[in-house]
Amino acid sequence: MLVRVVQRAPAFSNVCRRRLISTSGPAKSFPKEHGLLPSTQSPIVSSLKFFNSVTVDGGQIPTYRVLDGTGQPIEGASLPEEIDRGTARRMYEHMVQLPIIDNLMYNVQRQGKLAFYVRGPYGEEATLIGSAAAIANDDEVLGQYRELGVLMWRGFTLADMMNSCFGNCEDPCSRGKQMPMHFGSRKYHFHQISSPLATQIPQAAGVAFALKRDPERRGKNCAVVYFGEGAASEGDFHAGMLFASTIPSPALFIARNNGFAISTPANEQYYGDGIAARGPGYGIHTVRVDGNDILAVYSAVKEARRLCTQEGRAVLVEAMTYRVGHHSTSDDSFAYRPRQEVEDRKRLDNPLARFRRFLEARSWWSAEEDDALKARLKDEVMKAFRKAEVLPKPELREMFDHVYEGEEPWILKEQREELGRLLKKYGDVWGPWKAELQKHKGAGRELMEPKA
Amino acid sequence: MISLRLSGRWRAKSFVLLQRRPCRWNSTTAEAHPAGGHLPSVATSSFLRTTRDSALRTPSMHWTDEQETGSHDTLIAGRETRKMNMYQAVRDALSNALMRDDTAVVFGEDVAFGGVFRCTMGLAEEFGRERVFNTPLSEQGIAGFGIGIAAMGHTAIAEIQFADYIFPAFDQIVNEAAKYSYRSNGQFQAGSLTIRCPSMAVGHGAHYHSQSPEGFFMGAAGLKIVVPRSPAQAKGLLLASIRDPNPVIFLEPKILYRSAVEQVPVDDYQLPLSRAETLIRGSDMTLLTWGTPIYHCETAMHMLSNPPEALAPHVPSSLRGAKVELIDLRTILPWDVETIVESVNRTGRLVVVHEAGRVGGVGAEIGAEVQKRCFLKLYAPVKLITGWDMPVPMQFERFYMPDSIRILDGIIETLTY
């Protein structure tokens, strides 16, 4: 980074720049007592006092909740009016679908039918579906890798999901290039997932900035970025918050604080008051919400989105949840947390059960319907799985696609020809290739005998 | 809870290698090659030292206690070895380092419970959470924190969970660690920093669990890069890296964590950095590589001299007696130009194999130097057998990797040039 040795004229002090951006009115003159503090309007005091909290009373940031554990509204809470019977049932069905998919995928991965599976949002269903329902379907989503529920809420089908996990010739996301669960869909405004953590966060600030510059979408759409509390430790998180705030951009940050980054508990991830405490540090509107309460998530995200799009500024929502599942199929989380703790969580504070009780109390749902739904979803998931499982992998030539757009560099052209030559020579006699070629659509023939 | 983890039940489960980012490493054993029948693989490699005696006679091994007492007693009578896989050997080296040096600390994401690849298993219990600890999830934080510890003269042994995730730390490593001594004319040094990272491909890791990033660090003068091929090598090279007066990036081929098993000396020992090791002597061609492809090269050499029936038509009988010299580079930066040039001057041919793409790769650097120094002795152009120049593609990985068949083809092409 260049060392800046620019002498600033007083008129360009930070405070002025800030005012020019944050208010539409004329810049006010400095009160006299601030003459010696040109970069702040902080009040002057004579008593020495340190502080370590963002709340007025110095306590912890509160958590917004609507429903208690039995699905009843807590005292003083108001229910979101637009959640009618139909919407509520649809939200519940999407919630129920997630663990059903998750369990099936987990088991088939265990049987070796799938290379890898990162556990779905087991325990985070309310956060995902509540937020998905609260944002517009054409808001730009940048996810981490547990946001399948948001994508499916928008219409991404079970078939899409399964084809992507198998990376087969119908994979609508990366055409077999990426690992399972790394979804992405231009059609559904869901940016492609990548494995490096937190990289999507500053990108979301850029996406939001572009939305604000687009006359068609300005004031209508925002960028919604999901990440875990672990990812919030990366420098990219801080850069993303800082950019969205300083270069005002309608980015909605949704931190899924599920208590664990693989084995590392949140108390070894940060010492401060969660992720929410960082929002005001960047001048960002912030709220903490009970992530197991779908109506609280819905209301909070709905209002956050309104602030975000109307003011064109960033908003941070920290949803407190618990990762009931293991991190991934390579993880056994009972190695670092007691099984009982997980069981207690599942039993005492299950986001699905809480919402179901709410629905049942309104006679919007019944036990019979629940059984029927689960049976139907299991059947649909299994059918989609079986269909995707037998489809071949994409044509081999596709591995060379989209490294570069436009003109293909000579090196890739030569490497594709080299692979074609090698396959022609050894494809039939080298066992590991012979077997693998059969799994691909076209069995590599398009590389071995390229059309002139 | 912690003692449970170390129980037999725990180890017996084929638990492996969970990681925060997607991938499954359950099948780390190198695949048998059905076409070849009895081709060597990692499990049967002749390079793995399976007896106590051969392990204790590892070339250029320096026993740390001998260095300390000044005695050069080469007797190995009192030395013990234990059968270890590579993650156990890494753990053993870390334990030796922590034992011998009170300033040494081991840290990184998830290391307190043993690390996603088990390399730090039990160390927190043995040495305390003050010396073996989890960090927040931030690679730039890990690297910068490590530099600070090293700048105070303490020993920092950091883990980046996957080499693919080292890039947020690139600034700290390239602009800070590598230049720390130079920019202060030696007043401040970050030499006691070692950064370990699991690297290279496993067959289903795709873009972000497969990379070999050594090429990106080649231009970072002041830095060393080391890649071990086996458990005993990992232990000796890691201890040498930790004690080397320069910052070292230590890239551990993750597929070998469980699949490579050999007898490893229990005592503290070091293997020299910047010294390649000739594994098989030959006179007709030099085959140079490091890490996982060592074993693919071994298979390819076996197929050259004794091709399976199906491949026989492609291997001219005149080449079957060719003597290929196989060299493990071990230290990638600064690399052992002397050993390589001496070899190529004898053989007249060089093939370099690495998993990373060809453009800007380590092979290109070595090739340029060798062609300069051995120009009049070369019978064939230096050949690079590498991954293709693209992100590692999940469903196509078998056709991306420079595996034994591609190496065999390259050997034949170079021998018949």
Side-chain angles (χ1 to χ4, degrees), chain B residues 325-396:
Chain B
E325 178 150 307
L326 178 62
I327 301 179
D328 177 2
L329 190 61
R330 301 199 290 189
T331 297
I332 314 305
L333 183 72
W335 59 283
D336 183 357
V337 71
E338 199 181 318
T339 300
I340 311 309
V341 166
E342 186 279 324
S343 171
V344 179
N345 275 335
R346 270 190 290 109
T347 63
R349 294 180 173 90
L350 175 64
V351 172
V352 185
V353 182
H354 58 65
E355 289 186 0
R358 196 177 100 196
V359 177
V362 177
E365 175 61 30
I366 293 172
E369 196 63 31
V370 167
Q371 302 204 69
K372 185 184 85 182
R373 293 182 188 234
C374 311
F375 188 68
L376 295 175
K377 297 283 178 64
L378 287 173
Y379 300 119
V382 174
K383 183 161 182 71
L384 309 181
I385 302 174
T386 68
W388 312 124
D389 284 284
M390 62 179 63
V392 179
M394 175 85 186
Q395 300 295 344
F396 310 91

Side-chain angles (χ1 to χ4, degrees), chain A residues 136-421:
Chain A
N137 279 350
D138 60 350
D139 283 341
E140 301 291 322
V141 168
L142 294 93
Q144 185 165 302
Y145 45 66
R146 290 190 211 277
E147 292 82 9
L148 172 64
V150 178
L151 188 52
M152 296 193 76
W153 176 262
R154 294 176 168 205
F156 194 74
T157 64
L158 276 170
D160 291 337
M161 182 263 165
M162 290 294 177
N163 289 332
S164 177
C165 279
F166 280 100
N168 64 31
C169 61
E170 301 289 325
D171 172 4
C173 299
S174 78
R175 308 276 314 158
K177 293 186 178 83
Q178 277 220 73
M179 298 180 99
M181 300 303 280
H182 287 54
F183 305 107
S185 166
R186 192 89 217 175
K187 181 178 166 192
Y188 295 115
H189 302 273
F190 191 97
H191 293 238
Q192 193 82 31
I193 306 290
S194 84
S195 318
L197 282 175
T199 45
Q200 78 277 20
I201 304 174
Q203 292 166 10
V207 167
F209 179 77
L211 283 173
K212 201 172 167 178
R213 293 204 66 225
D214 181 350
E216 301 285 312
R217 303 183 72 181
R218 180 187 305 150
K220 297 194 187 90
N221 284 122
C222 61
V224 182
V225 56
Y226 292 87
F227 51 90
E229 87 285 351
S233 295
E234 293 276 14
D236 274 345
F237 162 80
H238 300 274
M241 296 277 283
L242 182 63
F243 270 63
S245 169
T246 311
I247 306 170
S249 306
L252 172 46
F253 296 89
I254 301 182
R256 297 180 286 95
N257 191 338
N258 71 15
F260 288 94
I262 307 194
S263 78
T264 305
N267 67 5
E268 291 180 35
Q269 200 63 246
Y270 52 75
Y271 180 69
D273 189 1
I275 310 306
R278 301 175 196 172
Y282 291 108
I284 288 178
H285 294 303
T286 300
V287 70
R288 174 176 287 157
V289 60
D290 179 349
N292 286 346
D293 173 355
I294 190 166
L295 295 185
V297 172
Y298 177 87
S299 292
V301 172
K302 189 102 185 160
E303 177 61 12
R305 182 182 184 279
R306 189 192 63 75
L307 277 169
C308 200
T309 49
Q310 283 186 7
E311 294 190 9
R313 298 203 64 96
V315 180
L316 169 65
V317 176
E318 180 181 27
M320 308 306 287
T321 68
Y322 186 83
R323 196 190 77 210
V324 174
H326 303 308
H327 164 73
S328 74
T329 44
S330 305
D331 178 27
D332 176 355
S333 66
F334 300 133
Y336 49 80
R337 59 182 186 180
R339 185 182 291 266
Q340 193 56 45
E341 176 187 314
V342 179
E343 293 303 323
D344 286 351
R345 272 285 168 183
K346 266 201 243 182
R347 192 163 41 80
L348 297 176
D349 193 14
N350 180 327
L352 281 157
R354 212 197 288 194
F355 194 43
R356 182 179 156 183
R357 288 185 195 115
F358 168 82
L359 296 174
E360 285 174 347
R362 270 150 197 77
S363 305
W364 289 355
W365 196 253
S366 67
E368 295 74 45
E369 282 179 298
D370 209 66
D371 293 341
L373 173 68
K374 283 175 182 160
R376 174 170 68 80
L377 288 174
K378 270 181 198 161
D379 185 50
E380 286 176 8
V381 170
M382 189 47 99
K383 274 187 182 142
F385 170 82
R386 292 220 172 98
K387 265 190 184 163
E389 187 186 22
V390 296
L391 286 175
K393 295 180 179 189
E395 284 188 324
L396 262 189
R397 65 168 177 81
E398 289 200 34
M399 73 191 278
F400 291 89
D401 292 351
H402 298 287
V403 181
Y404 285 91
E405 301 300 336
E407 191 186 346
E408 184 176 51
W410 59 270
I411 184 94
L412 285 172
K413 187 170 171 283
E414 284 185 15
Q415 290 181 350
R416 191 179 50 239
E417 287 164 5
E418 169 76 351
L419 179 58
R421 178 188 73 78

Side-chain angles (χ1 to χ4, degrees), chain A residues 109 115-116 145 176-177 179 182 197 234 262-264 268-269 327 330 332 335-336 415 421 426, chain B residues 1 5 13 16-24 110 113 129 134 136-137 139 207 389 394-395 409:
Chain A
Q109 195 281 333
F116 171 81
Y145 45 66
K177 293 186 178 83
M179 298 180 99
H182 287 54
L197 282 175
E234 293 276 14
I262 307 194
S263 78
T264 305
E268 291 180 35
Q269 200 63 246
H327 164 73
S330 305
D332 176 355
Y336 49 80
Q415 290 181 350
R421 178 188 73 78
Y426 301 109
Chain B
M1 179 176 105
R5 282 183 213 151
K13 288 176 77 161
V16 198
L17 327 180
L18 74 121
Q19 64 278 340
R20 67 170 188 238
R21 290 103 170 179
C23 198
R24 165 184 174 243
D110 300 293
F113 99 109
R129 291 289 283 251
N134 289 337
L137 205 164
E139 294 77 13
H207 312 353
D389 284 284
M394 175 85 186
Q395 300 295 344
D409 189 77

Side-chain angles (χ1 to χ4, degrees), chain B residues 129-191:
Chain B
R129 291 289 283 251
E130 200 185 296
R131 298 186 65 196
V132 180
F133 50 90
N134 289 337
T135 64
L137 205 164
S138 168
E139 294 77 13
Q140 66 193 100
I142 291 169
F145 188 75
I147 291 169
I149 291 170
M152 297 305 290
H154 293 214
T155 300
I157 309 166
E159 177 179 306
I160 299 284
Q161 203 160 69
F162 284 86
D164 310 66
Y165 302 126
I166 203 167
F167 301 110
F170 204 70
D171 193 29
Q172 287 288 349
I173 294 168
V174 174
N175 273 333
E176 298 297 318
K179 299 173 174 61
Y180 221 73
S181 181
Y182 189 79
R183 74 185 186 197
S184 68
N185 205 29
Q187 288 188 83
F188 294 95
Q189 304 198 349

